[in-house]
DNA sequence: TTAAAAAAACGTCACTCTCG
DNA sequence: CGAGAGTGACGTTTTTTTAA
């Protein structure tokens, strides 16, 4: 097996401002890869140059290995049509309006409009993956590479565990996650992950537990401003919990009903508005995390595709050279 | 070892798009 | 048409890298 080295143009940075790397359509000049920032891609060629498509291993800079199918198929006519064609353009999946950058005087609102009309990464990548078999799809669900489900992962380091009067266990993890487990169920399945949001300044002296029941998946969420913890649940159809400061043994206040019920007073309305806002912010927070994860995956995918196309380009160049040698006998 | 710089990650807002 | 998901932009925080 011969190891050869090609060079791929890539900045390697994955940050919030991926738009620059997305917008760039990479160009490879034949025989003159003199691009300032170069990353090396190792290619382990295997199999035949002619005949059935050979599978090539491409070692990406990020220790990824990509299986690349051979691009030269003997039965097919060569894709090389003219010696003058020396520029290979690669993967302009998500075009950004280049003029917006070049002009530089465009106002931010208009620029925002342009940018916000781009399709989602999931769509782009799925379209891309339908074209290229090697490109993985972004699943609708969380990918399995994320590992265990969140409610299992977060049970790893509970700092406090309480038992309610109904026999349920409440664990408060360091990350602010509350977990409720039913002793009757077999461990993990009885777990319910709850999130304590400590962000933002709690109203002074107030202890508000906001509760939202989502019957669809059985998820229950509590919002506890400040650093209080959930201590005890009462019996009955409507579960109630007490909030205590972690350092004191005295109950600080109560707490919650399983449904907000009818809201009348301005304070209740304000609390409801606060609850809705907290819920919206929390969802948006999670959505932003997921969006960034998808974006990173998308960029990785683009980089993989660049490597694949670099390999294709190299093979086409080799084919061109071979054909040149065959067709033009030596003159000297 | 440490301070500064750079990069990455995060939270929030504003907006568009999609779906019921 | 409204609710919610998705995402770009922006400012802030955290982590990593680099130079002294």
């Amino acid at each position: 097996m011969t190891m050869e080295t090609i060079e791929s143009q890539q900045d390697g940075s994955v940050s919030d401002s991926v738009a620059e790397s997305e917008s760039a359509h990479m160009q490879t000049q034949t025989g003159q890869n003199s691009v300032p920032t170069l990353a090396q891609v190792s290619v382990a060629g295997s199999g035949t140059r002619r005949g059935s498509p050979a599978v090539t291993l491409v070692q990406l800079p990020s220790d990824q290995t990509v299986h690349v199918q051979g691009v030269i198929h003997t039965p097919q006519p060569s894709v090389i049509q003219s010696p003058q064609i020396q520029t290979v353009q690669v993967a302009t999946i998500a075009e950004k309006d280049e003029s917006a950058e070049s002009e530089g005087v465009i106002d931010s609102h208009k620029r925002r409009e342009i940018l916000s009309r781009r399709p989602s990464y999931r769509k782009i990548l799925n379209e891309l993956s339908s074209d290229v078999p090697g490109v993985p799809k972004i699943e609708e669900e969380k990918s399995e590479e994320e590992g265990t489900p969140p409610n299992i992962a977060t049970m790893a380091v509970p700092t406090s565990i309480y038992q309610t009067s109904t026999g349920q266990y409440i664990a408060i993890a360091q990350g602010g996650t509350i977990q409720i487990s039913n002793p009757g169920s077999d461990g993990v399945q009885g777990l319910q992950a709850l999130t304590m949001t400590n962000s933002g300044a709690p109203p002074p002296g107030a202890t508000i537990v906001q509760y939202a029941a989502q019957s669809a998946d059985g998820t229950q969420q509590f919002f506890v401003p400040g650093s209080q913890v959930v201590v005890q649940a009462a019996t009955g159809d409507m579960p109630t919990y007490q909030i205590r400061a972690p350092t004191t043994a005295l109950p600080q206040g109560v707490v919650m009903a399983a449904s907000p019920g009818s809201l009348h007073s301005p304070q209740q309305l304000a609390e409801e508005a606060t609850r809705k806002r907290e819920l919206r912010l929390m969802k948006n927070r999670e959505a932003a995390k997921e969006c960034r994860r998808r974006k990173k995956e998308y960029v990785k995918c683009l980089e993989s595709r660049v490597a694949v196309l670099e390999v294709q380009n190299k093979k086409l160049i080799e084919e061109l050279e071979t054909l040149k040698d065959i067709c033009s006998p030596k003159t000297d």
Side-chain angles (χ1 to χ4, degrees):
Chain A
M1 179 181 291
T2 60
M3 292 289 290
E4 39 190 322
T5 299
I6 65 173
E7 293 172 321
S8 84
Q9 179 183 0
Q10 121 190 132
D11 60 357
S13 64
V14 180
S15 67
D16 274 1
S17 57
V18 188
E20 294 104 42
S21 61
E22 290 169 14
S23 66
H25 45 271
M26 300 195 164
Q27 294 191 348
T28 303
Q29 294 284 330
T30 304
Q32 31 181 313
N33 292 335
S34 58
V35 186
T37 56
L38 294 173
Q40 288 205 322
V41 178
S42 300
V43 179
S46 74
T48 57
R49 297 273 308 266
R50 302 269 180 243
S52 61
V55 174
T56 306
L57 287 179
V58 179
Q59 183 74 42
L60 296 178
S62 56
D63 288 342
Q64 282 182 294
T65 303
V66 179
H67 292 264
V68 180
Q69 200 160 17
V71 291
I72 302 177
H73 307 267
T74 308
Q76 294 177 345
S78 172
V79 296
I80 302 168
Q81 295 179 352
S82 165
Q84 278 80 28
I85 301 175
Q86 295 202 339
T87 300
V88 178
Q89 292 206 343
V90 176
T92 67
I93 297 102
E95 307 105 314
K96 174 181 159 187
D97 196 344
E98 293 274 62
S99 64
E101 254 182 29
S102 58
E103 282 190 21
V105 199
I106 189 169
D107 66 284
S108 63
H109 191 75
K110 196 167 184 178
R111 184 160 156 265
R112 198 172 184 139
E113 263 186 17
I114 294 168
L115 290 174
S116 63
R117 294 234 168 79
R118 293 176 59 243
S120 72
Y121 293 113
R122 183 178 294 168
K123 277 188 177 178
I124 294 170
L125 195 56
N126 288 343
E127 284 174 12
L128 177 61
S129 62
S130 65
D131 294 339
V132 181
V135 178
K137 285 196 174 194
I138 293 180
E139 302 295 337
E140 292 295 320
E141 310 292 339
K142 286 207 169 193
S143 62
E144 62 278 0
E145 73 179 13
E146 297 296 314
T148 53
N151 54 349
I152 297 177
T154 52
M155 66 182 290
V157 281
T159 56
S160 307
I161 298 177
Y162 304 95
Q163 186 173 16
T164 70
S165 57
T166 58
Q168 285 183 317
Y169 289 95
I170 300 177
I172 298 154
Q174 286 180 331
T177 301
I178 304 174
Q179 292 160 348
I180 297 180
S181 65
N182 298 315
S185 60
D186 47 351
V188 175
Q189 287 179 349
L191 274 179
Q192 293 172 302
L194 310 170
T195 302
M196 281 173 66
T197 59
N198 295 328
S199 63
T207 299
I208 303 168
V209 174
Q210 293 157 346
Y211 170 57
Q214 297 176 357
S215 58
D217 54 359
T219 307
Q220 296 172 316
Q221 293 179 325
F222 297 81
F223 303 95
V224 186
S227 56
Q228 291 86 4
V229 296
V230 177
V231 173
Q232 190 176 8
T235 58
D237 291 334
M238 182 179 295
T240 58
Y241 296 84
Q242 287 185 335
I243 299 295
R244 295 179 185 177
T247 53
T248 66
L250 294 175
Q252 216 178 30
V254 186
V255 168
M256 60 164 239
S259 82
S262 57
L263 300 171
H264 296 299
S265 70
Q267 186 181 357
Q268 282 175 320
L269 289 173
E271 288 175 4
E272 175 68 6
T274 305
R275 185 190 68 81
K276 282 184 177 176
R277 175 181 158 80
E278 287 288 336
L279 188 61
R280 180 167 50 81
L281 288 180
M282 190 191 71
K283 282 187 174 181
N284 190 243
R285 203 157 39 231
E286 293 303 314
K289 282 181 185 173
E290 185 63 15
C291 186
R292 289 183 182 113
R293 187 191 65 79
R294 274 196 300 268
K295 187 190 270 187
K296 282 176 69 176
E297 197 174 334
Y298 170 70
V299 171
K300 274 186 187 175
C301 221
L302 285 185
E303 290 171 352
S304 301
R305 189 143 192 250
V306 166
V308 166
L309 292 172
E310 292 277 359
V311 171
Q312 286 184 0
N313 188 37
K314 183 173 174 60
K315 283 182 175 291
L316 288 174
I317 292 168
E318 287 175 357
E319 184 188 5
L320 173 64
E321 294 300 323
T322 304
L323 291 176
K324 272 184 184 173
D325 289 346
I326 292 173
C327 295
S328 61
K330 289 182 180 177
T331 54
D332 52 349

